[in-house]
Each structure stands twice: as structure tokens, then as C-alpha cells.
Amino acid sequence: TKDRVLIALVIGVVLLLSGIFWLRTRGNQEQMITDLEAKLTHVQEVINDAATQGQFDKERGAELLKNAETEALEVLNSRFLRAKASKMLDEIEKQREVLDNVKYVEQPEVYADLSAQTGIPLIGMRFLKDRMMAYGAGTRFEVLLGKVGQPVPISGSEEVILGDSMKETGSMVFITRSGKAVEYADSLFSFRNTPDGDFKKGVDMKSYNDKVYILDPARNQIWRYKKLRGDYGAGEAYNVNADLSTAVSLAIDASVYILHGDGSIGLLYAGENQDFKMVKEPLQKVESVTKIFTEPDMTQLFVLEPGKDRVLVYNKDFRQGGAFPSGAVYSTQYVFKGVGKINDFYVSRDE
């Protein structure tokens, strides 16, 4: 009938138009896939260039990797070749690690296991002569050649918040939450006094020569106490003009290095804030650091970032000459796998 002929004609037209649309769409998709393949080929070439140029110019290598990442993300956000794009992005991250000289410590050796001492969380550790002293809020452990001694109370009911070893006197000094100083020497603990009555409290403490330095961001100050024959002198304000409001840790050689929570480092010399530049910083952004470490005659600064399980290493920059370094040049980083939260660390001169 005429109706059936008309219906058949409409169906034929629809099928024809659908076929044309399908062929055109398929052609567009094939062209798109070809273009995306070319883009990923270019991404691989840029990654290779970054690997070559980054050996001599880290900033240029980082810039090339950023460009490669932008192109790879464009492919990833399309509907095609997502697996290849994802693989390229992984390769870009690996190349960034190469530029940052990242070293993974997969199975660190256990030096001493204190886990049997339940209920005594550790705050920190320091070396005193040939022995490591690990300490908690009110307890000290002595570790010699990996063997852990019995826990020894530090100060009765006092809660320890800071501690450091004094190599010049062969002793350790602890600061309690109530502002008392407890000194450990010749296997004995003794309370030490200051004319101030109580010692100032802070977030970190380091000793240098015959003095103890306490970092106090709340008062924008570093308090310095000189060790006398038995007790300590009055606390002296060491900081002259530095902003310590975001400081989290300090380290001392002939200069005082101030670590801020965002990973930046400042330097004080004779109490005065100095111009100190961070050079060739790591490509993986430093976000939340907690401790800095160095010692006299060490050429490097070590920074702990627990959230990323890593210790960053910077070389002290003495290229300008002078009594103190003009900056810190990023060198490498160690990433420790499977050790849990890192609270403290120590770097041996020998190793």
C-alpha cells in the first residue's frame, strides 16, 4: 500500500542519514585518535629531552616535564588513549624523581627495638659519647650496640618536652613542661637552676659549646642559657630581628639555622637575621617539615618531612665566602618505606 511504501521510504532515509553520520563520526574519531597519538609521541620526546637537559640544567628539565604533563593530561581528559596517557604521567613523575635525586630506603636496618616497652612513647633521640639516648615524656633508654637498657625515670612526676646532649660536658639536659631543667651526667639525674626561676619553654632545643638554645616562636625569641659550674645563667634573648612565628626547629654550627613549617630555612649570625637563599629546591613541593639537623664542620643540612616519609639534604652554600653560608642548595632526599611515623632523626658523621 501507499502507507507501507511511505514508511519504507522514511526508514530508508533514516538509515542512510544514520550511516552517513556514523561514517563521519568514525572518521572524526579516527582523526582525533591519530592526533592524540601524535601528541603522546611528542610527550615522550619532551620527556626524553628533559632527561638529557636535566642532567645539566634542572630548572630547564623541570620546565620540560611540566609541559609534557600538560599535554598528557589533555589526552587523559579525552575519551581515548587514557591508559597510554596515564603511563606517560607515571613516567613524568619518575623522571622528576631522577631530577630530584630521590633515593628509596626500602628495608632500613633495625638498630634497636624498644617496642617491648609498652606505654612509653618516644619523643626523641640523641647520641652521648658512644651511646644512643632515646627518651620519652619521663623516661630514658640507653642503647649500646643495638641493645636496649632498662627504662630509667628522668624526673619523677615532671613531663619532659625537650632534650639534647652537650658534648662539651658529656651530659644530657632535658626541659620539662613546668620549666625545670634536668641534667644527666655520670649515670645520675640532677635538677639545675637558673636565676630566672623557670626555664623558658619552646618547640625545640639545641646545645652548642657551653650554651643551650631554646626556640620559642610564641615569643618570637631564642633563649640562650650558659652552662656554669653546676647550674645555668639567666636566659638571654638571642634573636634580634628575625621573624620566628612559623619556626618549628633549629640547628647550630657557628650559625643558627631556623626551619619554618613550610620548609623554608633562615639563618641567624650573632643574633642578626641574614640573607639566606634556597637554591634548586625539590620538584616535589615541601609542605610540612618538623626538624632540621646539622653539626659543626658538617657541610650539609638535613630536614625531616614526616608526612612524606623523607629526609631532605641541602648543601651549605659557601661560594660567596664569609663566616656563614649564603644559602642552602638542594642535593638529594631519602624516602623511608614502611617505618611508620618518623618523630626524630640523627645523622652520624661517619655514615
Side-chain angles (χ1 to χ4, degrees), residues 13 37 48 75 221 259 261 298 345:
V13 171
E37 286 276 14
N48 295 339
V75 178
Q221 195 51 259
L259 177 69
M298 271 190 174
F345 74 107

Side-chain angles (χ1 to χ4, degrees), residues 180-181 191-197 199 225-226 228 230-234:
K180 302 292 189 295
F191 280 95
R192 298 303 184 191
N193 299 314
T194 171
D196 299 337
F199 286 78
Y225 292 88
K226 182 178 176 60
L228 304 177
D231 294 321
Y232 288 82

Side-chain angles (χ1 to χ4, degrees), residues 162-182:
L162 300 173
D164 197 20
S165 57
M166 298 189 70
K167 296 181 179 179
E168 291 72 15
T169 60
S171 63
M172 284 197 71
V173 59
F174 303 95
I175 301 297
T176 71
R177 190 169 297 281
S178 64
K180 302 292 189 295
V182 182

Side-chain angles (χ1 to χ4, degrees), residues 222 238-244 247 249-260 264-278 292 294 301 315-318 321-328:
I222 297 172
Y238 178 77
N239 177 40
V240 176
N241 58 349
D243 180 7
L244 306 179
S249 183
L250 80 164
I252 307 175
D253 49 21
S255 307
V256 176
Y257 302 89
I258 304 297
L259 177 69
H260 297 269
S264 61
I265 300 173
L267 184 144
L268 278 68
Y269 189 78
E272 295 276 355
N273 188 43
Q274 307 296 328
D275 185 23
F276 193 78
K277 299 184 182 300
M278 305 287 289
I292 186 170
T294 194
L301 296 166
N315 293 323
K316 300 173 185 176
D317 188 357
F318 281 99
F324 51 84
S326 60

Side-chain angles (χ1 to χ4, degrees), residues 37 60 100 141 147 154 157 175 230 236 277 350:
E37 286 276 14
R60 176 56 180 163
D100 271 346
F141 301 90
K147 295 183 178 180
I154 294 176
S157 61
I175 301 297
E236 302 173 346
K277 299 184 182 300
D350 300 329

Side-chain angles (χ1 to χ4, degrees), residues 46-96:
V46 174
I47 293 174
N48 295 339
D49 288 343
T52 302
Q53 297 189 39
Q55 298 179 44
F56 312 99
D57 187 343
K58 181 179 177 180
E59 291 184 0
R60 176 56 180 163
E63 181 183 353
L64 288 171
L65 289 177
K66 186 175 181 180
N67 294 339
E69 183 179 51
T70 299
E71 286 194 75
L73 284 173
E74 289 176 3
V75 178
L76 184 69
N77 292 330
S78 72
R79 294 179 297 151
F80 309 101
L81 306 179
R82 301 189 70 180
K84 288 185 178 181
S86 181
K87 185 177 179 180
M88 290 286 186
L89 289 169
D90 289 341
E91 191 172 342
I92 290 170
E93 284 305 310
K94 289 179 181 178
Q95 189 56 47
R96 283 190 172 124

Side-chain angles (χ1 to χ4, degrees), residues 280-328:
K280 297 180 180 179
E281 296 189 67
L283 302 182
Q284 186 181 21
K285 186 178 179 182
V286 181
E287 295 176 321
S288 183
V289 297
T290 58
K291 290 184 182 293
I292 186 170
F293 180 93
T294 194
E295 287 189 338
D297 301 325
M298 271 190 174
T299 60
Q300 296 171 309
L301 296 166
F302 301 84
V303 173
L304 173 63
E305 187 173 18
K308 295 180 179 176
D309 302 321
R310 62 179 178 171
V311 172
L312 302 143
V313 185
Y314 298 84
N315 293 323
K316 300 173 185 176
D317 188 357
F318 281 99
R319 290 175 295 179
Q320 302 298 323
F324 51 84
S326 60

Side-chain angles (χ1 to χ4, degrees), residues 196-213:
D196 299 337
D198 292 332
F199 286 78
K200 297 290 194 300
K201 296 184 286 294
V203 298
D204 197 13
M205 176 180 76
K206 292 294 189 301
S207 68
Y208 181 70
N209 290 336
D210 60 347
K211 298 178 181 67
V212 169
Y213 295 75

